[in-house]
Amino acid sequence: MPKTPLIRKIRPLQLIAVIFFTVSGGPYGLEPLLTYAGEHGALLLLLLTPLLWDVPAIFTVLELNSMMPVTGGYYKWVKHALGTRWGFYEGWWTWLYTFIDLAIYPGLFVLYASFFFPWIAEYRIPVCLIFIWLSALLNILGIVPVGKTSLFLGAAVLTPFIILFGLAFYHHTVTTIPSPSLKGIPFSSLGMALYTVMWNCLGWDNVTTYAEEVEKPVRSYLFSMFAAFALVIVLYFLIILISQQSGINTGLLKEGAFPAVGVAIGGNWLGSLIALAGMASAFGIYAAVLLSVSRVPKVMADDDLLPKRLNRLHSRFQTPYVSIIVCSLVGSLMILWPFADLLIIDVTVYGAGLSLEYISLIKLRMVSPDVHRPFKIPLNIPGLCLMTLLPVTVYFVALAAAFSSNERAVWAAIFAIATLTSAELVWRLILWKKPYHKEGRLY
């Protein structure tokens, strides 16, 4: 009888690092927030948006993951609660959103590398392609190498900001906190500010797709998620507070990014450290997100919803290498999109998938109230409904603002909605070729 391949698992400290990079990877990409929201609105949105957008998602993920800590995560939850069709929607939407998300990070890598090599922007495409395929190779090697790399890169990202914060408070850069207010912010700018914060705080469900590769998953996720959330919010709040009180022009901040703040506070050496951390952050996020998304098509292929080749595992590393290669190929084609457009498309498609997870949470509370849940949100069903209204409201405010913005933002929002409708078209094609899925049966 052949032996079952031994799957190496990651521990809570490594899981914190992977979650940190999947959700955040540092404040890089947050630089335009002060331009959109101003000094009075930026900190307010940084505090309110994660509470309304992230906390319900974290609680939902923790409860559903404690019930079903399985490979495939959110796809398996929605399929179990709502059926094969909606499970396919969830997997398809999240797969597409992650392609869009992945396209952002190679460009950010080039942005921070240009601090040292201004000419590198001329070679953006080849540099991005090298970046993508190095990350693919790391993921093929397995979750443990990704976890260890994330731990190392996490330290590389956080260290320069700890130095920056220390110098800022030592030199009394921070004197007062501006009074919080959204008064005077145009609705279109408010929408872009929301998209900026939402994008910098999304992906909590992505970290559950490899739950079977985590030691003691229920306990590990509970501890690691809250630790990562606290780390992300404190880091974001401090960097925006210091940036706005450093006296740096918001236009310079948007163009020169956080290395410009490092130069203003500590000189070129600190700006260089923050730029290096930005490069490390981009690579760490990409590797962590690719780790999560590559597991989804694998389990969908197991369920005969995607081509069978996608569930093929590497003979040595036991990783879904075909899925990783396919994700990397699509990512290689997406790197030409502008950053602001990618934010709108990314958050819009992600939010639709997240809504199915909220519906699944409520449905399972109604039909399976007695199933053991090691972690259970301390709310009844009406309370859960009110909780899910918070992120849904933020989502639709941001989407409405995109439609009231400039023409590029409108077209990005339309493209996002068209991307969502593609799930129904592909589902119809699946039913035509494999009609047994109509009754929710497998083959």
Side-chain angles (χ1 to χ4, degrees), residues 189-230:
S189 295
L190 175 63
M192 288 308 301
L194 283 174
Y195 273 122
T196 301
V197 179
M198 291 162 74
W199 174 74
N200 276 275
C201 296
L202 58 78
W204 299 99
D205 51 351
N206 281 351
V207 302
T208 63
T209 59
Y210 40 79
E212 292 180 25
E213 301 171 72
V214 176
E215 284 189 0
K216 301 177 180 177
V218 174
R219 182 185 301 175
S220 295
Y221 276 107
L222 181 62
F223 169 74
S224 300
M225 277 199 172
F226 283 119
F229 178 74

mmCIF file of all heavy atoms in Angstrom, residues 189-230:
data_model
loop_
_atom_site.group_PDB
_atom_site.id
_atom_site.type_symbol
_atom_site.label_atom_id
_atom_site.label_comp_id
_atom_site.label_asym_id
_atom_site.label_seq_id
_atom_site.Cartn_x
_atom_site.Cartn_y
_atom_site.Cartn_z
ATOM 1 N N SER A 189 -13.561 61.654 -4.695
ATOM 2 C CA SER A 189 -12.310 61.486 -3.941
ATOM 3 C C SER A 189 -12.513 60.579 -2.736
ATOM 4 O O SER A 189 -11.635 59.779 -2.392
ATOM 5 C CB SER A 189 -11.787 62.848 -3.470
ATOM 6 O OG SER A 189 -11.430 63.654 -4.562
ATOM 7 N N LEU A 190 -13.695 60.693 -2.100
ATOM 8 C CA LEU A 190 -14.011 59.804 -0.983
ATOM 9 C C LEU A 190 -14.018 58.351 -1.456
ATOM 10 O O LEU A 190 -13.498 57.453 -0.769
ATOM 11 C CB LEU A 190 -15.369 60.168 -0.399
ATOM 12 C CG LEU A 190 -15.901 59.238 0.715
ATOM 13 C CD1 LEU A 190 -14.982 59.266 1.931
ATOM 14 C CD2 LEU A 190 -17.323 59.616 1.101
ATOM 15 N N GLY A 191 -14.577 58.122 -2.645
ATOM 16 C CA GLY A 191 -14.602 56.767 -3.181
ATOM 17 C C GLY A 191 -13.212 56.218 -3.406
ATOM 18 O O GLY A 191 -12.919 55.068 -3.054
ATOM 19 N N MET A 192 -12.311 57.012 -3.991
ATOM 20 C CA MET A 192 -10.948 56.542 -4.226
ATOM 21 C C MET A 192 -10.199 56.339 -2.911
ATOM 22 O O MET A 192 -9.371 55.426 -2.787
ATOM 23 C CB MET A 192 -10.195 57.521 -5.118
ATOM 24 C CG MET A 192 -10.641 57.527 -6.568
ATOM 25 S SD MET A 192 -10.657 55.862 -7.313
ATOM 26 C CE MET A 192 -8.947 55.363 -7.112
ATOM 27 N N ALA A 193 -10.501 57.197 -1.909
ATOM 28 C CA ALA A 193 -9.892 57.003 -0.597
ATOM 29 C C ALA A 193 -10.342 55.681 0.016
ATOM 30 O O ALA A 193 -9.545 54.922 0.585
ATOM 31 C CB ALA A 193 -10.245 58.173 0.328
ATOM 32 N N LEU A 194 -11.653 55.397 -0.103
ATOM 33 C CA LEU A 194 -12.178 54.126 0.405
ATOM 34 C C LEU A 194 -11.539 52.941 -0.320
ATOM 35 O O LEU A 194 -11.129 51.960 0.309
ATOM 36 C CB LEU A 194 -13.696 54.080 0.245
ATOM 37 C CG LEU A 194 -14.517 54.883 1.248
ATOM 38 C CD1 LEU A 194 -15.991 54.862 0.861
ATOM 39 C CD2 LEU A 194 -14.347 54.330 2.660
ATOM 40 N N TYR A 195 -11.467 53.030 -1.652
ATOM 41 C CA TYR A 195 -10.845 51.941 -2.411
ATOM 42 C C TYR A 195 -9.394 51.725 -1.976
ATOM 43 O O TYR A 195 -8.918 50.592 -1.895
ATOM 44 C CB TYR A 195 -10.900 52.240 -3.915
ATOM 45 C CG TYR A 195 -12.167 51.780 -4.585
ATOM 46 C CD1 TYR A 195 -12.991 52.676 -5.256
ATOM 47 C CD2 TYR A 195 -12.539 50.437 -4.572
ATOM 48 C CE1 TYR A 195 -14.162 52.256 -5.880
ATOM 49 C CE2 TYR A 195 -13.708 50.013 -5.192
ATOM 50 C CZ TYR A 195 -14.512 50.924 -5.844
ATOM 51 O OH TYR A 195 -15.663 50.499 -6.456
ATOM 52 N N THR A 196 -8.680 52.820 -1.709
ATOM 53 C CA THR A 196 -7.276 52.712 -1.305
ATOM 54 C C THR A 196 -7.140 51.974 0.020
ATOM 55 O O THR A 196 -6.308 51.074 0.165
ATOM 56 C CB THR A 196 -6.643 54.111 -1.193
ATOM 57 O OG1 THR A 196 -6.742 54.783 -2.453
ATOM 58 C CG2 THR A 196 -5.183 54.026 -0.798
ATOM 59 N N VAL A 197 -7.978 52.346 1.009
ATOM 60 C CA VAL A 197 -7.910 51.687 2.309
ATOM 61 C C VAL A 197 -8.428 50.252 2.207
ATOM 62 O O VAL A 197 -7.834 49.318 2.780
ATOM 63 C CB VAL A 197 -8.706 52.470 3.371
ATOM 64 C CG1 VAL A 197 -8.644 51.767 4.729
ATOM 65 C CG2 VAL A 197 -8.160 53.894 3.515
ATOM 66 N N MET A 198 -9.532 50.058 1.491
ATOM 67 C CA MET A 198 -10.109 48.715 1.357
ATOM 68 C C MET A 198 -9.116 47.754 0.697
ATOM 69 O O MET A 198 -8.971 46.605 1.116
ATOM 70 C CB MET A 198 -11.405 48.780 0.550
ATOM 71 C CG MET A 198 -12.553 49.481 1.270
ATOM 72 S SD MET A 198 -13.877 50.014 0.153
ATOM 73 C CE MET A 198 -14.661 48.444 -0.219
ATOM 74 N N TRP A 199 -8.439 48.240 -0.343
ATOM 75 C CA TRP A 199 -7.469 47.378 -1.022
ATOM 76 C C TRP A 199 -6.301 47.024 -0.105
ATOM 77 O O TRP A 199 -5.795 45.894 -0.133
ATOM 78 C CB TRP A 199 -6.943 48.067 -2.281
ATOM 79 C CG TRP A 199 -5.841 47.267 -2.925
ATOM 80 C CD1 TRP A 199 -5.979 46.104 -3.633
ATOM 81 C CD2 TRP A 199 -4.450 47.562 -2.893
ATOM 82 N NE1 TRP A 199 -4.738 45.665 -4.047
ATOM 83 C CE2 TRP A 199 -3.783 46.532 -3.605
ATOM 84 C CE3 TRP A 199 -3.691 48.591 -2.338
ATOM 85 C CZ2 TRP A 199 -2.399 46.515 -3.782
ATOM 86 C CZ3 TRP A 199 -2.311 48.578 -2.504
ATOM 87 C CH2 TRP A 199 -1.684 47.546 -3.224
ATOM 88 N N ASN A 200 -5.890 47.969 0.711
ATOM 89 C CA ASN A 200 -4.776 47.716 1.627
ATOM 90 C C ASN A 200 -5.169 46.834 2.806
ATOM 91 O O ASN A 200 -4.314 46.500 3.628
ATOM 92 C CB ASN A 200 -4.207 49.051 2.153
ATOM 93 C CG ASN A 200 -3.207 49.660 1.199
ATOM 94 O OD1 ASN A 200 -2.033 49.333 1.213
ATOM 95 N ND2 ASN A 200 -3.680 50.558 0.338
ATOM 96 N N CYS A 201 -6.458 46.474 2.923
ATOM 97 C CA CYS A 201 -6.922 45.670 4.058
ATOM 98 C C CYS A 201 -7.783 44.492 3.619
ATOM 99 O O CYS A 201 -8.611 44.013 4.401
ATOM 100 C CB CYS A 201 -7.740 46.538 5.021
ATOM 101 S SG CYS A 201 -6.846 47.861 5.808
ATOM 102 N N LEU A 202 -7.613 43.998 2.404
ATOM 103 C CA LEU A 202 -8.465 42.876 1.988
ATOM 104 C C LEU A 202 -7.639 41.590 1.859
ATOM 105 O O LEU A 202 -6.424 41.617 1.768
ATOM 106 C CB LEU A 202 -9.192 43.183 0.682
ATOM 107 C CG LEU A 202 -8.418 43.541 -0.583
ATOM 108 C CD1 LEU A 202 -7.816 42.325 -1.258
ATOM 109 C CD2 LEU A 202 -9.346 44.242 -1.576
ATOM 110 N N GLY A 203 -8.374 40.463 1.871
ATOM 111 C CA GLY A 203 -7.727 39.176 1.652
ATOM 112 C C GLY A 203 -7.717 38.244 2.843
ATOM 113 O O GLY A 203 -7.017 37.231 2.834
ATOM 114 N N TRP A 204 -8.509 38.540 3.881
ATOM 115 C CA TRP A 204 -8.499 37.696 5.072
ATOM 116 C C TRP A 204 -8.985 36.282 4.763
ATOM 117 O O TRP A 204 -8.526 35.319 5.387
ATOM 118 C CB TRP A 204 -9.369 38.333 6.168
ATOM 119 C CG TRP A 204 -8.886 39.670 6.596
ATOM 120 C CD1 TRP A 204 -9.368 40.891 6.195
ATOM 121 C CD2 TRP A 204 -7.778 39.951 7.468
ATOM 122 N NE1 TRP A 204 -8.642 41.900 6.774
ATOM 123 C CE2 TRP A 204 -7.665 41.363 7.560
ATOM 124 C CE3 TRP A 204 -6.887 39.155 8.181
ATOM 125 C CZ2 TRP A 204 -6.684 41.986 8.330
ATOM 126 C CZ3 TRP A 204 -5.911 39.771 8.950
ATOM 127 C CH2 TRP A 204 -5.818 41.168 9.024
ATOM 128 N N ASP A 205 -9.901 36.140 3.835
ATOM 129 C CA ASP A 205 -10.374 34.803 3.487
ATOM 130 C C ASP A 205 -9.361 34.030 2.650
ATOM 131 O O ASP A 205 -9.332 32.802 2.660
ATOM 132 C CB ASP A 205 -11.709 34.888 2.741
ATOM 133 C CG ASP A 205 -11.682 35.864 1.571
ATOM 134 O OD1 ASP A 205 -10.687 36.601 1.425
ATOM 135 O OD2 ASP A 205 -12.658 35.893 0.812
ATOM 136 N N ASN A 206 -8.498 34.751 1.937
ATOM 137 C CA ASN A 206 -7.509 34.081 1.094
ATOM 138 C C ASN A 206 -6.555 33.191 1.893
ATOM 139 O O ASN A 206 -6.025 32.218 1.363
ATOM 140 C CB ASN A 206 -6.678 35.114 0.322
ATOM 141 C CG ASN A 206 -7.419 35.650 -0.883
ATOM 142 O OD1 ASN A 206 -8.476 35.144 -1.244
ATOM 143 N ND2 ASN A 206 -6.886 36.680 -1.497
ATOM 144 N N VAL A 207 -6.347 33.531 3.144
ATOM 145 C CA VAL A 207 -5.346 32.803 3.925
ATOM 146 C C VAL A 207 -5.873 31.466 4.438
ATOM 147 O O VAL A 207 -5.155 30.743 5.126
ATOM 148 C CB VAL A 207 -4.839 33.657 5.113
ATOM 149 C CG1 VAL A 207 -4.252 34.971 4.624
ATOM 150 C CG2 VAL A 207 -5.940 33.925 6.122
ATOM 151 N N THR A 208 -7.130 31.126 4.110
ATOM 152 C CA THR A 208 -7.695 29.859 4.584
ATOM 153 C C THR A 208 -7.667 28.767 3.517
ATOM 154 O O THR A 208 -8.046 27.635 3.800
ATOM 155 C CB THR A 208 -9.155 30.056 5.035
ATOM 156 O OG1 THR A 208 -9.949 30.463 3.901
ATOM 157 C CG2 THR A 208 -9.258 31.100 6.124
ATOM 158 N N THR A 209 -7.226 29.076 2.312
ATOM 159 C CA THR A 209 -7.290 28.092 1.234
ATOM 160 C C THR A 209 -6.294 26.955 1.431
ATOM 161 O O THR A 209 -6.385 25.925 0.768
ATOM 162 C CB THR A 209 -7.030 28.747 -0.136
ATOM 163 O OG1 THR A 209 -5.741 29.356 -0.130
ATOM 164 C CG2 THR A 209 -8.096 29.788 -0.438
ATOM 165 N N TYR A 210 -5.335 27.145 2.339
ATOM 166 C CA TYR A 210 -4.335 26.096 2.606
ATOM 167 C C TYR A 210 -4.399 25.652 4.067
ATOM 168 O O TYR A 210 -3.389 25.309 4.673
ATOM 169 C CB TYR A 210 -2.926 26.593 2.263
ATOM 170 C CG TYR A 210 -2.663 28.029 2.672
ATOM 171 C CD1 TYR A 210 -2.367 28.376 3.986
ATOM 172 C CD2 TYR A 210 -2.740 29.052 1.732
ATOM 173 C CE1 TYR A 210 -2.137 29.690 4.348
ATOM 174 C CE2 TYR A 210 -2.508 30.374 2.086
ATOM 175 C CZ TYR A 210 -2.199 30.681 3.392
ATOM 176 O OH TYR A 210 -1.976 31.988 3.757
ATOM 177 N N ALA A 211 -5.625 25.665 4.655
ATOM 178 C CA ALA A 211 -5.787 25.377 6.087
ATOM 179 C C ALA A 211 -5.247 24.004 6.477
ATOM 180 O O ALA A 211 -4.759 23.817 7.608
ATOM 181 C CB ALA A 211 -7.267 25.485 6.478
ATOM 182 N N GLU A 212 -5.310 23.033 5.570
ATOM 183 C CA GLU A 212 -4.807 21.705 5.893
ATOM 184 C C GLU A 212 -3.281 21.656 5.928
ATOM 185 O O GLU A 212 -2.701 20.641 6.324
ATOM 186 C CB GLU A 212 -5.349 20.695 4.877
ATOM 187 C CG GLU A 212 -6.858 20.474 4.994
ATOM 188 C CD GLU A 212 -7.376 19.464 3.983
ATOM 189 O OE1 GLU A 212 -6.584 18.605 3.544
ATOM 190 O OE2 GLU A 212 -8.566 19.518 3.633
ATOM 191 N N GLU A 213 -2.634 22.744 5.531
ATOM 192 C CA GLU A 213 -1.177 22.814 5.558
ATOM 193 C C GLU A 213 -0.680 23.653 6.740
ATOM 194 O O GLU A 213 0.476 24.081 6.765
ATOM 195 C CB GLU A 213 -0.660 23.387 4.234
ATOM 196 C CG GLU A 213 -1.063 22.558 3.018
ATOM 197 C CD GLU A 213 -0.732 23.237 1.697
ATOM 198 O OE1 GLU A 213 0.463 23.306 1.360
ATOM 199 O OE2 GLU A 213 -1.670 23.688 1.014
ATOM 200 N N VAL A 214 -1.584 23.903 7.713
ATOM 201 C CA VAL A 214 -1.266 24.696 8.901
ATOM 202 C C VAL A 214 -1.398 23.807 10.136
ATOM 203 O O VAL A 214 -2.369 23.072 10.281
ATOM 204 C CB VAL A 214 -2.219 25.913 9.024
ATOM 205 C CG1 VAL A 214 -1.942 26.689 10.316
ATOM 206 C CG2 VAL A 214 -2.069 26.822 7.817
ATOM 207 N N GLU A 215 -0.414 23.881 11.036
ATOM 208 C CA GLU A 215 -0.492 23.121 12.286
ATOM 209 C C GLU A 215 -1.614 23.671 13.169
ATOM 210 O O GLU A 215 -1.732 24.882 13.350
ATOM 211 C CB GLU A 215 0.838 23.215 13.047
ATOM 212 C CG GLU A 215 1.945 22.353 12.476
ATOM 213 C CD GLU A 215 3.162 22.315 13.393
ATOM 214 O OE1 GLU A 215 3.132 22.958 14.468
ATOM 215 O OE2 GLU A 215 4.149 21.646 13.031
ATOM 216 N N LYS A 216 -2.451 22.765 13.713
ATOM 217 C CA LYS A 216 -3.559 23.145 14.590
ATOM 218 C C LYS A 216 -4.294 24.363 14.008
ATOM 219 O O LYS A 216 -4.281 25.448 14.610
ATOM 220 C CB LYS A 216 -3.056 23.440 15.995
ATOM 221 C CG LYS A 216 -2.351 22.260 16.647
ATOM 222 C CD LYS A 216 -1.810 22.614 18.018
ATOM 223 C CE LYS A 216 -1.108 21.423 18.657
ATOM 224 N NZ LYS A 216 -0.508 21.749 19.972
ATOM 225 N N PRO A 217 -4.946 24.200 12.858
ATOM 226 C CA PRO A 217 -5.452 25.359 12.102
ATOM 227 C C PRO A 217 -6.417 26.258 12.851
ATOM 228 O O PRO A 217 -6.347 27.483 12.730
ATOM 229 C CB PRO A 217 -6.113 24.724 10.871
ATOM 230 C CG PRO A 217 -6.354 23.298 11.234
ATOM 231 C CD PRO A 217 -5.261 22.927 12.182
ATOM 232 N N VAL A 218 -7.349 25.698 13.633
ATOM 233 C CA VAL A 218 -8.343 26.538 14.306
ATOM 234 C C VAL A 218 -7.666 27.503 15.274
ATOM 235 O O VAL A 218 -7.865 28.728 15.231
ATOM 236 C CB VAL A 218 -9.391 25.677 15.032
ATOM 237 C CG1 VAL A 218 -10.334 26.563 15.836
ATOM 238 C CG2 VAL A 218 -10.179 24.839 14.033
ATOM 239 N N ARG A 219 -6.836 26.962 16.158
ATOM 240 C CA ARG A 219 -6.141 27.804 17.133
ATOM 241 C C ARG A 219 -5.147 28.737 16.458
ATOM 242 O O ARG A 219 -5.028 29.922 16.823
ATOM 243 C CB ARG A 219 -5.424 26.909 18.147
ATOM 244 C CG ARG A 219 -4.701 27.691 19.246
ATOM 245 C CD ARG A 219 -3.906 26.756 20.145
ATOM 246 N NE ARG A 219 -4.776 25.754 20.775
ATOM 247 C CZ ARG A 219 -4.313 24.760 21.539
ATOM 248 N NH1 ARG A 219 -3.012 24.627 21.741
ATOM 249 N NH2 ARG A 219 -5.152 23.907 22.080
ATOM 250 N N SER A 220 -4.417 28.226 15.460
ATOM 251 C CA SER A 220 -3.393 29.034 14.792
ATOM 252 C C SER A 220 -4.008 30.222 14.066
ATOM 253 O O SER A 220 -3.492 31.345 14.138
ATOM 254 C CB SER A 220 -2.609 28.165 13.799
ATOM 255 O OG SER A 220 -1.878 27.165 14.469
ATOM 256 N N TYR A 221 -5.117 29.996 13.371
ATOM 257 C CA TYR A 221 -5.763 31.100 12.653
ATOM 258 C C TYR A 221 -6.335 32.137 13.611
ATOM 259 O O TYR A 221 -6.259 33.348 13.358
ATOM 260 C CB TYR A 221 -6.866 30.568 11.738
ATOM 261 C CG TYR A 221 -6.369 30.091 10.401
ATOM 262 C CD1 TYR A 221 -6.296 28.742 10.089
ATOM 263 C CD2 TYR A 221 -5.964 31.001 9.429
ATOM 264 C CE1 TYR A 221 -5.836 28.301 8.851
ATOM 265 C CE2 TYR A 221 -5.508 30.580 8.187
ATOM 266 C CZ TYR A 221 -5.442 29.230 7.915
ATOM 267 O OH TYR A 221 -4.984 28.806 6.687
ATOM 268 N N LEU A 222 -6.911 31.696 14.713
ATOM 269 C CA LEU A 222 -7.490 32.631 15.677
ATOM 270 C C LEU A 222 -6.435 33.585 16.210
ATOM 271 O O LEU A 222 -6.623 34.814 16.216
ATOM 272 C CB LEU A 222 -8.136 31.843 16.831
ATOM 273 C CG LEU A 222 -8.811 32.671 17.922
ATOM 274 C CD1 LEU A 222 -9.968 33.479 17.353
ATOM 275 C CD2 LEU A 222 -9.308 31.760 19.051
ATOM 276 N N PHE A 223 -5.310 33.037 16.628
ATOM 277 C CA PHE A 223 -4.231 33.861 17.162
ATOM 278 C C PHE A 223 -3.587 34.712 16.068
ATOM 279 O O PHE A 223 -3.375 35.923 16.235
ATOM 280 C CB PHE A 223 -3.177 32.960 17.824
ATOM 281 C CG PHE A 223 -1.905 33.663 18.172
ATOM 282 C CD1 PHE A 223 -1.838 34.542 19.246
ATOM 283 C CD2 PHE A 223 -0.755 33.458 17.410
ATOM 284 C CE1 PHE A 223 -0.655 35.203 19.558
ATOM 285 C CE2 PHE A 223 0.422 34.104 17.717
ATOM 286 C CZ PHE A 223 0.479 34.976 18.795
ATOM 287 N N SER A 224 -3.288 34.096 14.927
ATOM 288 C CA SER A 224 -2.512 34.760 13.887
ATOM 289 C C SER A 224 -3.284 35.887 13.216
ATOM 290 O O SER A 224 -2.712 36.932 12.882
ATOM 291 C CB SER A 224 -2.072 33.737 12.835
ATOM 292 O OG SER A 224 -1.279 32.733 13.411
ATOM 293 N N MET A 225 -4.596 35.703 13.029
ATOM 294 C CA MET A 225 -5.387 36.742 12.356
ATOM 295 C C MET A 225 -5.482 38.014 13.199
ATOM 296 O O MET A 225 -5.312 39.124 12.684
ATOM 297 C CB MET A 225 -6.773 36.225 12.010
ATOM 298 C CG MET A 225 -6.824 35.430 10.724
ATOM 299 S SD MET A 225 -8.518 35.339 10.095
ATOM 300 C CE MET A 225 -8.202 34.592 8.504
ATOM 301 N N PHE A 226 -5.763 37.856 14.478
ATOM 302 C CA PHE A 226 -5.882 39.043 15.328
ATOM 303 C C PHE A 226 -4.533 39.737 15.495
ATOM 304 O O PHE A 226 -4.454 40.972 15.536
ATOM 305 C CB PHE A 226 -6.481 38.675 16.687
ATOM 306 C CG PHE A 226 -7.962 38.452 16.642
ATOM 307 C CD1 PHE A 226 -8.513 37.227 16.980
ATOM 308 C CD2 PHE A 226 -8.825 39.459 16.238
ATOM 309 C CE1 PHE A 226 -9.875 37.004 16.928
ATOM 310 C CE2 PHE A 226 -10.199 39.254 16.179
ATOM 311 C CZ PHE A 226 -10.726 38.031 16.522
ATOM 312 N N ALA A 227 -3.448 38.950 15.573
ATOM 313 C CA ALA A 227 -2.113 39.541 15.680
ATOM 314 C C ALA A 227 -1.780 40.319 14.409
ATOM 315 O O ALA A 227 -1.258 41.448 14.468
ATOM 316 C CB ALA A 227 -1.075 38.448 15.928
ATOM 317 N N ALA A 228 -2.079 39.735 13.248
ATOM 318 C CA ALA A 228 -1.797 40.406 11.980
ATOM 319 C C ALA A 228 -2.649 41.666 11.818
ATOM 320 O O ALA A 228 -2.163 42.702 11.341
ATOM 321 C CB ALA A 228 -2.044 39.447 10.813
ATOM 322 N N PHE A 229 -3.928 41.604 12.225
ATOM 323 C CA PHE A 229 -4.812 42.769 12.106
ATOM 324 C C PHE A 229 -4.291 43.938 12.950
ATOM 325 O O PHE A 229 -4.232 45.083 12.467
ATOM 326 C CB PHE A 229 -6.225 42.398 12.546
ATOM 327 C CG PHE A 229 -7.200 43.544 12.504
ATOM 328 C CD1 PHE A 229 -7.688 44.006 11.302
ATOM 329 C CD2 PHE A 229 -7.632 44.163 13.670
ATOM 330 C CE1 PHE A 229 -8.590 45.068 11.244
ATOM 331 C CE2 PHE A 229 -8.523 45.212 13.634
ATOM 332 C CZ PHE A 229 -9.009 45.672 12.415
ATOM 333 N N ALA A 230 -3.912 43.663 14.196
ATOM 334 C CA ALA A 230 -3.387 44.715 15.070
ATOM 335 C C ALA A 230 -2.118 45.326 14.471
ATOM 336 O O ALA A 230 -1.936 46.556 14.476
ATOM 337 C CB ALA A 230 -3.105 44.148 16.460
#
